[in-house]
Amino acid sequence: MFTTSAFNLIRRNCPEDLDELLRLLDIKDEPDWEHGDEFDIAQDLDKKIDEKICALLNSDSDLAGYAKLLDMGGIKFSVSETRKERLAKIIDNRDQILNGKNSTAKFKCMKASSFDLNIPVKSLLNTLTGAKLIVALERECDLSSDAKQRIKNIIVEELGAVDEILLAVIPSKTFSVPPIRDLDKVFEILTQVDEIYKKI
């Protein structure tokens, strides 16, 4: 996350921001920059910061965690974006990410040979609002004919009279990766990191 040269800039431009980041991450062992090898100290501190942030993001790397947050908000990003650019995009889209945290599944509809929902689907229809399903993955069940008709009615209302509809329930990415807990704390820490990036 931070190189040795970045730590030098931080110490010169915004040491108080680094102190605040360490406090937020509960890193109590403050580095002694005056004694020991500067490179080793920087590498050790960067590792501690990275481990804490990855744990908060429930990811193997900060970049993977950033991608997870952006996916939660339905925000497009490129693999070519730098760490700094991706983080800025997260901060700029905070509300959208927070509003998207409860999304669980998506609809896709296309023309097909028949309208058939008789196959078992790995979901339980708890409620139907707009184009979202609330999905429980712990068991399989068939949708009732009433649920099938309600889904068909919504699609027909949106698309007009269509004879043939294929409906697929696609689990969102939040089911395939561990969720991020305590988003308020995550944003507090990431905002602090972003402040540091702006000053170096």
Side-chain angles (χ1 to χ4, degrees):
M1 181 168 288
F2 296 116
T3 63
T4 303
S5 58
F7 276 120
N8 285 333
L9 287 171
I10 293 167
R11 289 168 57 210
R12 186 178 71 203
N13 297 347
C14 55
E16 67 286 347
D17 287 320
L18 178 59
D19 291 342
E20 177 63 8
L21 178 61
L22 298 181
R23 185 192 70 75
L24 289 171
L25 291 172
D26 198 28
I27 297 175
K28 299 188 187 311
D29 301 328
E30 293 201 18
D32 184 0
W33 297 101
E34 303 307 318
H35 301 91
D37 182 85
E38 184 182 65
F39 177 79
D40 289 340
I41 293 169
Q43 195 173 38
D44 181 59
L45 183 57
D46 183 60
K47 183 179 177 185
K48 288 177 182 176
I49 291 170
D50 194 55
E51 285 174 353
K52 291 276 189 174
I53 289 176
C54 287
L56 277 169
L57 297 173
N58 212 353
S59 299
D60 293 332
S61 71
D62 61 322
L63 283 174
Y66 294 170
K68 192 190 299 188
L69 286 168
L70 291 167
D71 279 340
M72 284 170 59
I75 300 155
K76 292 181 181 178
F77 62 95
S78 165
V79 293
S80 65
E81 289 174 347
T82 66
R83 180 176 275 106
K84 188 175 179 180
E85 290 169 336
R86 203 173 283 189
L87 179 59
K89 188 174 281 189
I90 289 167
I91 302 302
D92 290 343
N93 293 281
R94 174 189 172 116
D95 290 344
Q96 190 172 336
I97 291 167
L98 291 174
N99 289 335
K101 70 180 179 180
N102 293 321
S103 62
T104 56
K106 298 177 182 178
F107 269 112
K108 283 195 176 179
C109 302
M110 61 183 69
K111 192 137 182 174
S113 58
S114 65
F115 179 82
D116 184 9
L117 282 175
N118 289 317
I119 57 167
V121 292
K122 207 172 186 181
S123 64
L124 173 65
L125 186 64
N126 294 325
T127 187
L128 191 59
T129 313
K132 289 183 181 177
L133 285 172
I134 293 178
V135 177
L137 293 178
E138 63 268 11
R139 69 186 183 101
E140 290 188 4
C141 70
D142 287 321
L143 293 178
S144 69
S145 58
D146 180 56
K148 294 174 195 176
Q149 190 58 50
R150 284 188 291 146
I151 292 169
K152 186 174 183 180
N153 290 344
I154 287 173
I155 293 168
V156 168
E157 186 177 324
E158 290 293 321
L159 302 179
V162 288
D163 296 328
E164 302 164 344
I165 301 170
L166 171 66
L167 178 68
V169 179
I170 313 295
S172 70
K173 292 181 181 179
T174 54
F175 290 129
S176 60
V177 293
I180 298 174
R181 316 258 183 229
D182 199 353
L183 282 172
D184 289 334
K185 183 172 183 181
V186 166
F187 270 101
E188 185 179 15
I189 288 166
L190 294 185
T191 299
Q192 187 64 30
V193 173
D194 188 54
E195 282 300 310
I196 292 171
Y197 277 142
K198 288 175 182 175
K199 294 175 183 177
I200 61 173

